[in-house]
Amino acid sequence: MDDDHQTLETPASGLVFVLSGPSGVGKSSLIERLKRDDFPITHCVTATTRPRRQGEEHGVHYYFLADAEYDALLEKGQFLEHAVVHNLYRYGIPLHSIRDALRRGQDVILAPDVQGASTVRWKLPNAISIFLRPPSLDELAPRLAARGTETTEERHIRLATAEREMQRVSEYDYVIVNHRDRLDQAVGDLKAIIVAERLRVCPRTVTL
Ligand code: ADP
C-alpha cells in the first residue's frame, strides 16, 4: 500500500503532548518513568547530531545521526521541527514516528527543548503543551553538574539559556514543578494531565 493511499484510508489522529522546559529540569527522567510504569503513551524520539552519552541507546533516548544522515532527512522534509541548540548540535523531531503512532491509535509525547516546543505549538496548535520547571533557577546548576554530561562551558550556556526560557511559561497550557527528590509528584501530575485531556468532551486531537 503506498503512503498516500494509506493516508486517505487512515488519517493519523490522536493527542500530541509536548513536554518542555530548560535543560536539566528532568524531562528525560519523567519520560523514563512513564515507560517504566508502562503508562500507555508513545514517546517519539528526537534525532540529534550530538554524541551519545553513556547509558543512552539509539532509538530509545535519541536517534543519533551523523551530519550527512541528518541532512538527508532534512532535505526530504522529514522533520516536524528542527533546530541548532546551544549553538552546538542539531535536533529534529521526525514526522514519521509521530504519524506512525497516531495511526496505530496511540497518543504521543514529545520532549523538545523550549525553542523546539514553540515551533511544534505553532505547527500543531492543538498539541497540549506542558512546561516542566525547577522550583528555582538555582536548582538547575547542581542537577546539570550531577548529570555530568556537559563540559563546564556547555553547562554555562545551558544555564544562561534556562533563565530566558523560564520567562516563556505563559505560552504553555500547563506547568509542572519538578521539586528536588520529588520526581514521583511530577510523574503523578503529568499522568493526571494526560488522563484529563483524554476525558475532554471535545479532545484536542491532532491530524497529520
Ligand atoms: P532533561 O531531560 O530535562 O535535560 P534530565 O531528566 O536529564 O533533564 O535530568 C537532569 C538531572 O537531574 C539528571 O541527573 C536527573 O537524574 C536529575 N533529576 C531529575 N529530576 C530530579 C528531581 N526531582 N530531583 C533531583 N534530581 C533530579
Side-chain angles (χ1 to χ4, degrees):
M1 193 184 286
D2 69 33
D3 203 45
D4 284 346
H5 190 62
Q6 196 172 8
T7 308
L8 284 177
E9 275 196 350
T10 52
S13 179
L15 301 182
V16 175
F17 294 89
V18 183
L19 175 70
S20 191
S23 177
V25 72
K27 300 181 291 296
S28 310
S29 307
L30 265 188
I31 299 275
E32 281 293 317
R33 279 292 305 275
L34 290 184
K35 283 186 194 161
R36 191 156 25 109
D37 297 350
D38 282 328
F39 190 81
I41 196 151
T42 298
H43 172 224
C44 288
V45 179
T46 298
T48 183
T49 57
R50 86 149 162 72
R52 194 190 313 204
R53 297 173 189 151
Q54 206 179 3
E56 286 181 330
E57 273 179 61
H58 178 76
V60 175
H61 298 92
Y62 285 93
Y63 294 113
F64 296 98
L65 303 183
D67 273 311
E69 293 172 302
Y70 192 98
D71 285 337
L73 287 176
L74 196 56
E75 269 168 35
K76 288 191 217 147
Q78 293 288 316
F79 289 127
L80 172 64
E81 74 85 27
H82 75 98
V84 180
V85 177
H86 307 299
N87 290 325
L88 281 170
Y89 302 114
R90 296 187 289 169
Y91 291 78
I93 302 175
L95 259 177
H96 74 86
S97 55
I98 305 176
R99 211 176 263 140
D100 290 350
L102 295 181
R103 262 195 200 126
R104 290 194 302 268
Q106 292 162 353
D107 296 335
V108 307
I109 187 162
L110 317 170
D113 69 300
V114 173
Q115 183 186 334
S118 148
T119 311
V120 174
R121 282 200 314 271
W122 175 68
K123 288 200 169 168
L124 307 177
N126 259 8
I128 298 138
S129 57
I130 304 155
F131 189 85
L132 186 65
R133 52 158 290 181
S136 74
L137 265 177
D138 294 342
E139 179 67 31
L140 277 183
R143 273 189 211 176
L144 279 175
R147 190 170 71 182
T149 47
E150 284 85 16
T151 62
T152 310
E153 193 198 346
E154 281 171 354
R155 279 209 303 276
H156 282 309
I157 297 173
R158 280 164 194 253
L159 288 171
T161 309
E163 201 167 342
R164 290 196 305 278
E165 290 172 337
M166 292 282 276
Q167 315 296 319
R168 304 189 63 173
V169 60
S170 62
E171 298 170 18
Y172 288 70
D173 297 310
Y174 294 95
V175 58
I176 297 177
V177 182
N178 187 15
H179 292 280
R180 186 187 307 179
D181 299 331
R182 278 157 59 189
L183 188 66
D184 277 351
Q185 187 183 332
V187 173
D189 289 347
L190 178 58
K191 288 178 179 174
I193 292 167
I194 295 171
V195 171
E197 287 293 335
R198 285 176 175 157
L199 295 174
R200 269 185 193 273
V201 173
C202 299
R204 284 173 48 174
T205 45
V206 166
T207 304
L208 273 180

